[in-house]
Amino acid sequence: MPEEELHSIRIHLDRVLAERGMTLTELAAQVGITVVNLSVLKNGRAKAIRFSTLSRICEVLHCQPGDLITHTPTDPA
């Protein structure tokens, strides 16, 4: 898979943050990562996420990983 090829993973951090009434800055401070790194994740530009980071995000937002991440299969055509 070429590096520039798009993937079929979607991040729903914006929606979950809005539901919780929390800003990206507040989440970054509580999770312990930079706003820039969290923004990369939120905008779907992240190539990976550590399970420890995902766990901490879920703890802070009181959600499950499936609330934040979904897989949308690509069209086989």
Side-chain angles (χ1 to χ4, degrees):
M1 175 188 223
E3 188 173 326
E4 62 277 349
E5 187 174 323
L6 296 177
H7 55 77
S8 56
I9 300 297
R10 301 293 169 244
I11 305 296
H12 308 288
L13 192 52
D14 275 344
R15 177 181 48 81
V16 177
L17 284 170
E19 290 171 355
R20 304 301 189 274
M22 184 179 284
T23 68
L24 198 64
T25 303
E26 292 169 330
L27 180 62
Q30 291 186 41
V31 170
I33 62 174
T34 66
V35 174
V36 172
N37 284 339
L38 202 51
S39 181
V40 167
L41 177 64
K42 178 186 74 111
N43 292 320
R45 295 187 318 254
K47 298 198 183 306
I49 183 171
R50 291 177 185 262
F51 283 161
S52 59
T53 301
L54 181 58
S55 293
R56 187 68 185 128
I57 291 170
C58 288
E59 287 171 10
V60 170
L61 294 176
H62 306 287
C63 68
Q64 295 293 313
D67 297 328
L68 298 169
I69 301 170
T70 57
H71 175 257
T72 306
T74 55
D75 190 14

